[in-house]
Amino acid sequence: MLTIGCSAPPDWYYHFNCHGDPACLGDNPTNGASGTLNEGPEQVNCTQLQQFSRRFWNMPPATDRCDQDPNGSADGPAQAPKLQSLTITPSAPVLPVGVTQQMTATAHYSDGSATDVTAQATWGLTYIQSAVSLLPGGVLHADAVGSNTLNASYGGLSASVTVTVLPAQLASIAISPSMPTVPLGTKLIFTAAAVYTDGSTVPLTNATWLSGTPAVATLAAGALAGAETATTLSEGTTVVSASWGGLTGSTTLTVGPVAVVSIAVLPTTPLVEAGFKVQLTAIASSSDGTTQDVTGQVTWATGSSAVATVAPGGLATGVAAGSTGVSATLGGVTGGNTLWVNGGTLQSIRISPALPSLAVGETLGFTAIGVFSDGVSMALAGVTWGSSATGVATVSGAGLATAVGNGTATVTAGAGGLTGSTTLTVGGTGTGWSVISPAPTTQPLAAVAWCGSRFVAVGAGGTILTSTDGLAWTAQSAGGVTAALSAVACAGSLAVVVGDVGTVLTSPDGSTWTARTSGTTAALLGVTWTGTRLVAVGAGGTVTTSADGITWAAPSSVSALGLNAVTWTGAQAVAVGGSAGLRSASGVVLTSPDGLTWTTTASPWAGLFGVTGAAGTLVVVGGTSSYNLSTHVSTSSAWVATSTDAATWTTRPAGPAFLRGVTSTGGLLAAVGDGGAILTSGDGTGWVPQASGTTAGLKGIAWSGARLVAVGDAGAVLVSP
């Protein structure tokens, strides 16, 4: 408190000191006494002293009052407090690199009072190791490991402290991306980084992750080290956190409704001839992994209407030779492709599939393929479809055939003044199947073949069945062999069966069977006759051959993958194999001119289980499995691949069930597989599912020239017609 002695004039006296205050010194440059009355022109009265104290010392009116001398004398002087010391706090600051610290300077007076003079003090550093830098107002920034001395001066006094700088310390955990918003079904990759006081970051590979609301999104280790994959499960929000080193960082993930994320314009390389039409299709992929045909919902556009136009339903018309971009837009998402327009002349039209078969009530979509003078073959849109016998089958304007009654009908497609046709058979071979009941055995059957005068079917436990018509079957003795039998082939009148542990059996009549020594213990899974030798293939890529079925050559391994089937095309042997596991789906195709020297020609991403050659076309069947991480459900997909040279293959999906066997009647291809699946095709391009009447897995199929026979699990035997 400032006490101003204001006793009755003229003998009171007041003395004050500016304590180094620049503003005060401006009014009192001598820093001397003032306040006595009647002793000179510099004298002031008590009211002026009160005003001075309020201006420079911020004294409230209640304290800078005129009263008696503090010593009790009415005429004695009242002394102002004097500056005695200066201190800096913190007194021994320790800072990690990168941290900023506000320092404080405090003036201590004789009356015990203290004043923060941080803003009035003069600050400085003694540079020993350049550990810190000094900012205005006594602010320190830690720059590097080491120490410096910090100084402060005020009112003629000074103080100093030692500042110690330690290495940068962990300050926080940062998660990327921050505050993301994604549509439902999206998989989002999060990463975490340790943030240090100097601003540096280090990616974390062993943070502990947590989703606050697992019903909205779950977290699992991602493919990248340290990354977490969030799988969104429902709309809402969840706090995603990562903990490490005692700290936790977090962000909020917001999951919105399912949204379209991309649009594909098909076909992959659209092509149309000038003056003709091609149907474009828009397939939308949504954030939940589903796809849907949105051809009729998108907005279509072309880059140049002088080259091509696109109608609202995706029907593109070629105008002039050239190329133009085509786009499909839905909900702000756009997909595009390049449409090529050629100037060729239509030469002919063919219909696919060729020579199809249907059962009454079934449907099949036809495609008209135009062949042009420039060598281009393309699917034609806007053609005129027709059926020669509407009592057998009708065909819609889009080429969809419906089987009405048994018989044959000529299906036609007209465009550009030309017409193409094919024959559709309703109720023929391959379309109607009957299950033999009761089954001739309860053992699973793996294969069947036609050996000139009889069918031979083989299976588990050394099972051998024969039939002259496919309807009545006779069990044959395997001569004490109990190994699982996997395949059968016919070399003239000689029937040859192979199976597990290198089993080989031969019979001249289907009734008497003799075990032979194959020279291998590998499971033999396929066998064929080349006209000069028998070729058997199996596990471990094993191949063994015999000229007579009795004496077998030393086996060799020609593939890293197991071989499941083999056939002779008339010009070469073709063996196929592989697996179709959830994480190990792989396949292999090998060819040989003689069954002795083998070459790998293809390695498709599918396990292959059956192969046949038909009219110069090779057909292989198989499948793959996949696993959905969101639903924890595994699914299977069947595949059919065709080739004319065993080197270049065209692969097509063929439903959800693995296909295990395939054969040809000469005009019809038929494949069988899991769950009683039977598919037929005229040319290997379009495959039509047939009603089998069973859910038993079917493993083998054979053609006698008059009847198809399929065999499978639980002794199932099916015939058509």
Side-chain angles (χ1 to χ4, degrees):
M1 173 172 54
L2 168 66
T3 302
I4 304 173
C6 275
S7 60
D11 57 355
W12 69 270
Y13 179 82
Y14 176 74
H15 180 277
F16 70 89
N17 187 284
C18 287
H19 306 300
D21 186 305
C24 172
L25 289 172
D27 284 2
N28 185 25
T30 64
N31 203 26
S34 178
T36 58
L37 294 176
N38 303 319
E39 293 187 10
E42 78 281 0
Q43 295 174 356
V44 295
N45 60 33
C46 183
T47 301
Q48 290 173 302
L49 291 174
Q50 288 176 315
Q51 293 172 342
F52 184 88
S53 68
R54 293 173 188 175
R55 174 182 174 187
F56 294 111
W57 300 330
N58 297 318
M59 300 295 286
T63 58
D64 63 344
R65 63 186 182 274
C66 294
D67 56 17
Q68 298 298 319
D69 188 315
N71 297 319
S73 171
D75 56 3
Q79 300 294 325
K82 295 183 179 181
L83 176 64
Q84 290 187 327
S85 65
L86 181 69
T87 59
I88 300 174
T89 53
S91 60
V94 178
L95 310 175
V97 173
V99 168
T100 297
Q101 173 70 53
Q102 173 68 63
M103 303 300 290
T104 301
T106 303
H108 300 272
Y109 295 92
S110 57
D111 64 352
S113 63
T115 302
D116 184 340
V117 294
T118 301
Q120 292 79 33
T122 300
W123 295 90
L125 286 172
T126 300
Y127 284 96
I128 301 173
Q129 296 173 313
S130 299
V132 297
S133 55
L134 180 60
L135 304 177
V139 178
L140 291 178
H141 183 272
D143 297 327
V145 175
S147 63
N148 283 143
T149 298
L150 174 67
N151 308 299
S153 299
Y154 177 80
L157 299 180
S158 64
S160 64
V161 296
T162 298
V163 183
T164 302
V165 179
L166 301 179
Q169 297 178 1
L170 179 64
S172 62
I173 304 297
I175 297 178
S176 181
S178 177
M179 305 298 288
T181 298
V182 298
L184 179 61
T186 301
K187 289 183 181 294
L188 185 65
I189 296 177
F190 283 100
T191 58
V195 182
Y196 289 83
T197 53
D198 62 355
S200 63
T201 61
V202 177
L204 296 178
T205 60
N206 57 349
T208 300
W209 291 86
L210 179 68
S211 172
T213 310
V216 173
T218 58
L219 296 174
L224 300 176
E228 289 287 302
T229 299
T231 300
T232 55
L233 303 176
S234 65
E235 295 180 43
T237 60
T238 182
V239 175
V240 175
S241 62
S243 300
W244 183 81
L247 295 181
T248 298
S250 64
T251 190
T252 299
L253 168 62
T254 301
V255 181
V258 173
V260 173
V261 294
S262 65
I263 297 175
V265 175
L266 302 177
T268 304
T269 306
L271 174 67
V272 67
E273 298 284 347
F276 288 85
K277 301 179 185 296
V278 63
Q279 178 64 55
L280 302 179
T281 302
I283 303 297
S285 297
S286 297
S287 56
D288 62 355
T290 61
T291 59
Q292 59 178 322
D293 187 333
V294 292
T295 303
Q297 302 172 42
V298 299
T299 299
W300 291 94
T302 62
S304 173
S305 58
V307 175
T309 60
V310 182
L315 188 63
T317 301
V319 177
S323 64
T324 180
V326 290
S327 64
T329 302
L330 179 66
V333 179
T334 298
N337 208 334
T338 299
L339 174 63
W340 295 87
V341 180
N342 283 5
T345 303
L346 183 64
Q347 302 292 300
S348 63
I349 299 174
R350 61 181 175 85
I351 297 178
S352 178
L355 304 176
S357 298
L358 293 175
V360 173
E362 291 182 335
T363 60
L364 174 64
F366 284 105
T367 301
I369 309 296
V371 180
F372 290 82
S373 59
D374 54 9
V376 171
S377 294
M378 56 169 280
L380 300 176
V383 300
T384 302
W385 291 95
S387 169
S388 65
T390 55
V392 174
T394 60
V395 184
S396 72
L400 181 66
T402 301
V404 178
N406 292 337
T408 61
T410 300
V411 176
T412 59
L418 298 179
T419 300
S421 65
T422 190
T423 299
L424 169 62
T425 300
V426 177
T429 298
T431 61
W433 289 84
S434 301
V435 179
I436 301 300
S437 182
T441 180
T442 58
Q443 292 284 5
L445 296 175
V448 62
W450 175 252
C451 290
S453 60
R454 67 185 64 84
F455 287 103
V456 179
V458 299
T463 299
I464 301 176
L465 304 173
T466 60
S467 173
T468 58
D469 58 7
L471 303 177
W473 293 81
T474 301
Q476 305 293 347
S477 171
V481 172
T482 59
L485 304 179
S486 304
V488 57
C490 305
S493 61
L494 183 71
V496 180
V497 171
V498 299
D500 281 359
V501 293
T503 298
V504 174
L505 297 168
T506 64
S507 174
D509 56 10
S511 300
T512 303
W513 293 85
T514 304
R516 307 297 182 181
T517 300
S518 67
T520 181
T521 58
L524 298 176
L525 304 174
V527 63
T528 192
W529 171 246
T530 70
T532 58
R533 62 173 53 89
L534 288 156
V535 179
V537 301
T542 300
V543 173
T544 183
T545 62
S546 173
D548 56 9
I550 299 173
T551 303
W552 290 79
S556 60
S557 180
V558 299
S559 169
L561 296 173
L563 300 177
N564 299 320
V566 62
T567 192
W568 177 253
T569 69
Q572 61 182 343
V574 180
V576 300
S579 63
L582 293 176
R583 293 178 174 83
S584 60
S586 55
V588 64
V589 178
L590 299 97
T591 60
S592 172
D594 52 13
L596 303 176
T597 304
W598 293 85
T599 302
T600 299
T601 62
S603 299
W605 183 249
L608 305 178
F609 302 103
V611 58
T612 190
T617 298
L618 279 167
V619 180
V620 297
V621 297
T624 58
S625 292
S626 60
Y627 184 77
N628 189 308
L629 293 174
S630 298
T631 61
H632 305 293
V633 174
S634 60
T635 57
S636 300
S637 299
W639 291 90
V640 174
T642 58
S643 175
T644 57
D645 57 7
T648 303
W649 293 85
T650 300
T651 304
R652 300 175 179 85
F658 279 6
L659 296 179
R660 306 286 182 175
V662 62
T663 193
S664 171
T665 68
L668 182 74
L669 291 165
V672 296
D674 294 352
I678 298 179
L679 293 90
T680 59
S681 174
D683 58 3
T685 301
W687 290 80
V688 179
Q690 305 293 344
S692 66
T694 183
T695 58
L698 301 179
K699 301 301 195 305
I701 186 170
W703 168 248
S704 68
R707 174 168 289 155
L708 284 168
V709 172
V711 300
D713 292 344
V717 176
L718 293 80
V719 296
S720 175

